[in-house]
Amino acid sequence: MAPKKPLCLPSLLLPLLTLLLPQADTRSFVVDRDHNRFLLDGAPFRYVSGSLHYFRVPRVLWADRLFKMRMSGLNVVQFYVPWNYHEPEPGVYNFNGSRDLFAFLQEATLANLLVILRPGPYICAEWEMGGLPAWLLRKPKIHLRTSDPDFLAAVDSWFKVLLPRIYPWLYHNGGNIISIQVENEYGSYRACDVSYMRHLAGLFRSLLGDKILLFTTDGPEGLKCGSLQGLYTTVDFGPADNMTKIFGLLRKYEPRGPLVNSEYYTGWLDYWGQNHSTRSIPAVTKGLEKMLKLGASVNMYMFHGGTNFGYWNGADEKGRFLPITTSYDYDAPISEAGDPTPKLFAIRNVISKFQEVPLGPLPPPSPKMTLGPLTLHLDGNLLDFLDFLCPQGPIHSVLPMTFEAVNQVHGYMLYRTYLTDTVSEPTQLWVPNNGVHDRAYVMVDGVFQGVLERNMKHNLFLMGKIGATLDVLLENMGRLSFGSNSSDFKGLLQPPILGQTVLTQWLMFPLKVDNLVKEWFPIQPLKSSHPQAPSGPTFYSTTFPILNSGGDTFLFLPGWTKGQVWINGFNLGRYWTKRGPQQTLYVPRPLLFPRGAHNRITLLELENVPPQPQIQFLDRPILNSTKHRTYIYSLSSASEPMELSGH
């Protein structure tokens, strides 16, 4: 018989610790309607929360941002779950890398932050299609955010995957999720389909049980259609709104219980072509203090905005199509680069008047790096790489097909046809019914002719010989995330007309630009610069070393027009220097290889290249083009590198 092992101290202490720690069955987060407050484990509780989106921040930086939120005095983090980020194709799920929301939940736990979860299915968030997957539009007649059986079937399938994985993270199960929002600002949607909201509420209850607090969020004008009996009603508004009036309206829908502002706006989003949005510190702090004096719980949207990397930005429709910038800085208390701002310290001071703020200083701003100017070299016109960009070959159709019809979710698609007659005089090319979604770059025999743009530029004048190649490169600038919320199909929605001739017999090339940048360009030698700056869609690149440990930086593209940028194969996002307001792109330090290793930057310039095809890395952002000036900097020192988990 094996000898008995002596009891060690940890094994003696374990039963005692088990008794002392709160047990899952004693944990609760509920509404106390008698006293207009929340109760956490039976004790009065008020949350002061901030929004941070894990999908806008590289995973390696999650802990840093969450720690700064906790040190600011917040006790809760609120975030969305974008369906299209996790189910890229029907039945194909991705919870890896920067899509691992369960790792994010764990990081929130380590930061001592509770969680308010907003899983949609629609999230807005200024995110591509409001978080709904574009593959829903492969059924062209689908009615989004309604009781349409096709939509509900897809929603049910997704939530039957997501919500059971969320269940162990509910607060009463020992996790950190105290409440979950159903849909998002549904009262602002034209459908007002009560059956749809009831279906979602029933689905959430069946998969998550009766103990979790479910709630809705709407602007004051949306409470009528957005609220639902059985779901706790909350409201959203900003510093400039009439708080007394809005909370009074909220009481008509939720007579008892704590007042909640689920989106108190610390700043605002930016559109290409409009000024950078800001909210003053006095306005934000005055409204926050007034709410806290009323005993309200509040979530600040955003507390850290982050970045719309890749193609993930959304768009609004307010009289015309308004795509959202790559930067989602939002004028938030924590900047896009993760630095505390004066707004953060002012907010922290207000919070400290009402509840305990963690002791200790916030971390200082991260080290920043400057570099350049660097000269980029011509790799070739986009048309030169067509075999690599579309290795499966084109799709033929008499009439042009949309992105959705050929399963192209993001990015670019080339439409090609051939002139059937000689056009010897400048002749109008146009697309009926505002049918360019969203931006078209037109070429005849490879020569760039100009741009057609949704709502903005409707025609060009062309000439060409019979048999000439007409190429139209279509860019998806981001599907509508708010506004009309109609199904936002991309591509050529109508056949173009040249003079009186409807153009037919199209070849469509769905382009895999990211694959080309990641897989082909790195093994090809750079070509020498073209003697004259070409125009039209063109690839440029260069390599550069960082001689020290590097730092966060901001890519500045003076003189470039519009396009897409990759650094070491990572899709940094869109630039639109000519239109603004954003002039620089945030480059997190973990994207760069330090200490002499070669980094590669690749640009797809869609229109016009400057005479000197140069770029620079700055140590501060330029988010408003009115502040635009030329920067020339030298290399500076920075701190240790961090490992990046891919986005």
Side-chain angles (χ1 to χ4, degrees), residues 238-397:
D241 296 309
N242 187 327
M243 183 185 306
T244 303
K245 181 179 178 181
I246 293 172
F247 275 149
L249 181 63
L250 176 62
R251 279 297 183 217
K252 294 182 180 180
Y253 295 88
E254 202 64 74
R256 303 293 298 170
L259 296 168
V260 178
N261 184 345
S262 289
E263 290 187 8
Y264 179 63
Y265 302 112
T266 62
W268 200 247
L269 58 137
D270 287 348
Y271 303 111
W272 291 114
Q274 299 190 6
N275 288 331
H276 174 54
S277 299
T278 60
R279 293 288 185 273
S280 75
I281 293 172
V284 172
T285 54
K286 181 181 178 182
L288 177 62
E289 186 162 359
K290 187 176 179 181
M291 273 188 289
L292 296 181
K293 283 180 177 177
L294 291 173
S297 285
V298 59
N299 173 72
M300 284 169 273
Y301 189 102
M302 299 290 298
F303 209 82
H304 171 54
T307 308
N308 293 315
F309 294 116
Y311 310 110
W312 286 111
N313 67 277
D316 283 356
E317 191 170 67
K318 297 178 179 179
R320 64 182 179 87
F321 180 71
L322 294 169
I324 288 151
T325 56
T326 301
S327 171
Y328 200 66
D329 178 85
Y330 215 84
D331 194 34
I334 298 175
S335 74
E336 182 178 10
D339 295 331
T341 68
K343 186 177 287 183
L344 181 149
F345 291 104
I347 287 172
R348 188 188 197 207
N349 184 56
V350 170
I351 295 171
S352 70
K353 299 176 183 179
F354 297 89
Q355 59 192 43
E356 187 176 345
V357 171
L359 296 175
L362 271 90
S366 64
K368 303 298 188 295
M369 181 191 79
T370 62
L371 183 64
L374 304 174
T375 299
L376 272 63
H377 306 281
L378 174 66
D379 289 321
N381 296 320
L382 178 139
L383 298 178
D384 298 336
F385 298 101
L386 211 49
D387 289 343
F388 300 96
L389 288 164
C390 187
Q392 75 276 18
I395 299 161
H396 179 266
S397 175

Side-chain angles (χ1 to χ4, degrees), residues 43-198:
F45 179 78
R46 181 246 296 282
Y47 63 75
V48 182
S49 170
S51 288
L52 181 158
H53 297 153
Y54 63 94
F55 42 92
R56 286 187 162 114
V57 179
R59 176 172 175 167
V60 71
L61 300 175
W62 288 348
D64 172 79
R65 307 310 195 246
L66 289 165
F67 174 72
K68 288 168 182 170
M69 292 175 74
R70 182 68 189 105
M71 292 300 292
S72 301
L74 306 186
N75 52 15
V76 173
V77 58
Q78 176 180 286
F79 63 91
Y80 289 116
V81 179
W83 179 6
N84 55 7
Y85 199 54
H86 294 286
E87 192 178 1
E89 290 289 329
V92 177
Y93 304 101
N94 187 347
F95 293 100
N96 301 316
S98 285
R99 290 170 168 80
D100 189 347
L101 74 92
F102 310 105
F104 185 75
L105 285 166
Q106 181 60 34
E107 292 287 4
T109 299
L110 295 174
N112 196 25
L113 289 167
L114 297 169
V115 169
I116 297 171
L117 193 71
R118 310 173 85 185
Y122 164 81
I123 64 169
C124 182
E126 290 75 60
W127 188 253
E128 152 77 16
M129 203 166 150
L132 300 177
W135 49 256
L136 291 168
L137 302 182
R138 293 174 194 170
K139 295 183 176 180
K141 295 183 179 180
I142 195 168
H143 293 283
L144 304 175
R145 302 176 71 194
T146 70
S147 299
D148 181 323
D150 287 334
F151 183 66
L152 288 186
V155 168
D156 289 359
S157 178
W158 161 237
F159 278 138
K160 286 175 182 176
V161 170
L162 175 67
L163 296 185
R165 298 187 186 198
I166 293 297
Y167 183 77
W169 291 92
L170 303 183
Y171 185 77
H172 60 269
N173 291 332
N176 55 0
I177 300 174
I178 57 172
S179 61
I180 295 180
Q181 180 178 299
V182 178
E183 242 279 349
N184 186 66
E185 296 180 328
Y186 190 67
S188 300
Y189 190 54
R190 66 181 187 277
C192 199
D193 186 341
V194 178
S195 297
Y196 164 64
M197 286 294 290
R198 286 178 181 151

